Structures are given as C-alpha cells and as structure tokens.
Amino acid sequence: MRPHRIVVLGVGTVVGFDLAIPPQIFAGATGPDGPLYEVQVCSIDGGPLATTRGFSVLPEGGVEAAGAPDTVIVPGVDADTFAGNPEVSAYLRGLPAGTRIMSICTGAFVLAAAGLLDGRPATTHWAHADQFRAMFPEVRLQPDVLFVDDGDVLSSAGVAAGIDLCLHVLRTDHGSEVANQAARRNVVPPWRDGGQSQFIERPVPDPGITGTAPTREWLLHRLAEPLTLEEIAHHAGMSVRTFTRRFREETGTSPLDWLLGQRIEHARHLLEFTDLPVDEVAVQAGLSTATSLRKHLRARLGTGPAAYRRAFRGR
C-alpha cells in the first residue's frame, strides 16, 4: 500500500511551530514495508509563508502539485489579522468526501471560515476563544480541551496540543506501538486525552517544591493494583487534598482520571501485542473485569476489545 498522503497547508501568516509539527510526527512513522505517511508542506499557490515570529518558510509547492491528499492539516494562523481566504476555502470545500481535515491551534479559524465547522464541535487556542465565538457562532466551540475528534474533521488547542492531536491520529491509524515510538522519538508524552484541560496552572513545579512526577512513575509500574487515592497521596507524602490540587496543576487532570487513562492505554497495548484473553487483559490493566474494560474502551474509542484487537492486531 502507498503511504497515506498528508498536505500541511500554511495559510496567511502562519505559526511556525504548528507548521513543523505534522512533518515531525508523521514523516518518521514507519511500518514493516517502509514509511506510513508522505507529508508535504504547501501554501495555496506555492509561494513563501510569513510566520508570526519573524521568519519566512518556503514550502515544497502549491496544493495543485501535491496531488490528491488523504489528510489536510491547517496549522495556526495570526488570528488577529486573518479575515478569510476565498482560495483556501474553495480548496477545502472541494476536497473529496472522506478526506480527513485537521486544524492545529488557530488553524480552526481557517476551517470555520470555509464553513467546515458549522454545527460541529471544535476547539482552538484558549486565548482566542472569545474572538472565535464572535466570528463563528455556528460552531460548537469547546475551548477547554486539548483536541476534538469529530470523525473526518479534527481540531486541536494551541501549540503543543497539536502534538497530542497528531499522536492521537497516528494511534488511531496504526495502533499504540507506532504512536508510542513517535512519542519516544520526539521526547514527548505518548498520550494525553483530548478531553484534558488546556489550563494547566503549573506545568513546571516551583523550585524547591516536590512534584507528583515520582508518584506518576510509581503508578505506571502498579497499574494492575487496586490503589486508592489515599494510598497514592501517601506515596507522595501529601494529604489527599494537597496531592489532588498539585496533580491537577501539573497535569491538567485529576489523579484517578489520569490513572484510568494510563490503564486504558496499557489495555490497548496488551490487546495489540499479546494473545491474552480479554478477561486477563482487563486484570493486568487494572480494570478488573472484561465488562469494565469493554465499558471504558467504548466510552473512549467507540469500540469493544474484540473489535479493537481485530483492527490493530499485527500492525
């Protein structure tokens, strides 16, 4: 099979960091037969792209030369100056049915201007949420999440949330091992759920304050154990209240929600790469029973363990 063709379409004054995320994440992903993706960075006409940080980028060409894409990704734009682009809107609306369309950060403004987000859920950088609502009231904006997957149209919050979205797509396309390899290669967390809040108050703990990272590492080696919040806080040497507050400040989510996400991720790995019965997968992942595993997989991925194994086994 040929590699999945991705066009990264820079529009207007582009956010340079966002523009570089898809090539960095997808272009290095490989399978047994070679590269899994072919990534081309384009402007609508092949001309250079100014960025929001004082440098310009010369893309590989225009969208016509890129051919028919399987996925189009629009990086962030300067939302304060973006007023729509008729050529870009026409291109996006003219893509064949089934083409996956994604935005990173304020790239959601471009998708919304093309009418692709009307009546659909989407997100963008929290700092531009009010502006986005005023310009595009038809969009069901979710301003406090990392990314939104609405099937054929996906959007992410600001900057690094684009990495989370690309890893999510990589995991959806090819399973957790390929996504985890990409995360390791880029030295980023392998998994942050799309529903996780953008608002992390203290991404880097204050000097001299013991954070929750050692306890998170401790938990990863005890996913199968039925640990309580009290036991987890005790390991961190904190009260439950202090630990919960600090954990949310550092990760953007609660300890038990984070732990559930790690257990689901481990269950996915076991389903993909072992022959363990579903009941045993549930036990080893700390989800107790096959019924519980089925419930959480359906809530998170829309599929059950047997169907997930069939889809990703051997990829």
Side-chain angles (χ1 to χ4, degrees):
M1 295 179 63
R2 68 168 178 82
H4 184 102
R5 184 174 294 135
I6 296 177
V7 164
V8 183
L9 176 58
V11 179
T13 303
V14 69
V15 179
F17 186 94
D18 296 354
L19 188 72
I21 290 172
Q24 184 67 27
I25 297 296
F26 289 108
T30 58
D33 299 321
L36 297 172
Y37 298 90
E38 174 188 297
V39 185
Q40 292 180 275
V41 177
C42 303
S43 60
I44 195 69
D45 59 0
L49 293 163
T51 74
T52 58
R53 289 296 179 262
F55 61 92
S56 296
V57 175
L58 183 63
E60 296 180 58
V63 291
E64 288 188 5
D70 302 300
T71 294
V72 174
I73 304 176
V74 180
V77 298
D78 184 346
D80 294 328
T81 62
F82 179 73
N85 184 311
E87 282 187 272
V88 171
S89 293
Y91 170 75
L92 293 173
R93 288 195 297 265
L95 290 169
T99 304
R100 182 166 57 196
I101 303 175
M102 300 164 53
S103 67
I104 296 174
C105 191
T106 48
F109 281 72
V110 179
L111 270 55
L116 301 180
L117 299 180
D118 289 355
R120 305 185 73 153
T123 193
T124 190
H125 194 294
W126 62 267
H128 297 280
D130 291 342
Q131 177 187 0
F132 187 93
R133 282 197 187 95
M135 292 178 65
F136 308 109
E138 306 87 358
V139 181
R140 291 158 45 201
L141 185 66
Q142 298 181 11
D144 59 344
V145 300
L146 290 180
F147 60 83
V148 173
D149 182 345
D150 195 38
D152 58 335
V153 178
L154 305 90
S155 54
S156 83
V159 198
I163 298 175
D164 297 305
L165 177 59
C166 289
L167 288 174
H168 165 75
V169 168
L170 195 55
R171 184 174 287 105
T172 300
D173 287 353
H174 296 286
S176 63
E177 185 63 22
V178 171
N180 291 345
Q181 287 174 357
R184 286 193 294 270
R185 186 171 61 251
N186 290 282
V187 199
V188 295
W191 179 84
R192 290 198 299 171
D193 179 57
Q196 184 168 318
S197 173
Q198 294 187 38
F199 309 112
I200 301 176
E201 297 176 21
R202 191 188 298 147
V204 179
D206 292 337
I209 296 179
T210 302
T212 64
T215 297
R216 295 200 299 274
E217 180 67 23
W218 177 78
L219 285 170
L220 289 175
H221 296 284
R222 290 163 177 79
L223 294 178
E225 299 179 20
L227 296 168
T228 66
L229 185 55
E230 289 76 12
E231 291 169 325
I232 298 170
H234 177 75
H235 177 271
M238 304 177 195
S239 68
V240 169
R241 182 176 179 180
T242 299
F243 177 75
T244 300
R245 173 176 56 79
R246 192 162 296 165
F247 196 100
R248 186 177 291 278
E249 289 173 349
E250 293 180 15
T251 68
T253 190
S254 72
L256 295 184
D257 282 347
W258 180 90
L259 182 57
L260 175 60
Q262 300 302 320
R263 284 170 166 164
I264 293 172
E265 188 62 21
H266 186 49
R268 291 171 69 169
H269 179 85
L270 293 175
L271 288 170
E272 291 179 37
F273 294 99
T274 75
D275 295 318
L276 292 173
V278 171
D279 285 331
E280 184 61 24
V281 168
V283 170
Q284 290 199 20
L287 296 170
S288 302
T289 66
T291 299
S292 176
L293 171 60
R294 191 172 297 110
K295 170 188 170 184
H296 289 299
L297 272 185
R298 287 197 179 280
R300 189 66 60 91
L301 306 174
T303 188
Y308 182 87
R309 175 170 266 168
R310 284 195 300 271
F312 288 103
R313 180 71 170 167
R315 290 193 181 188

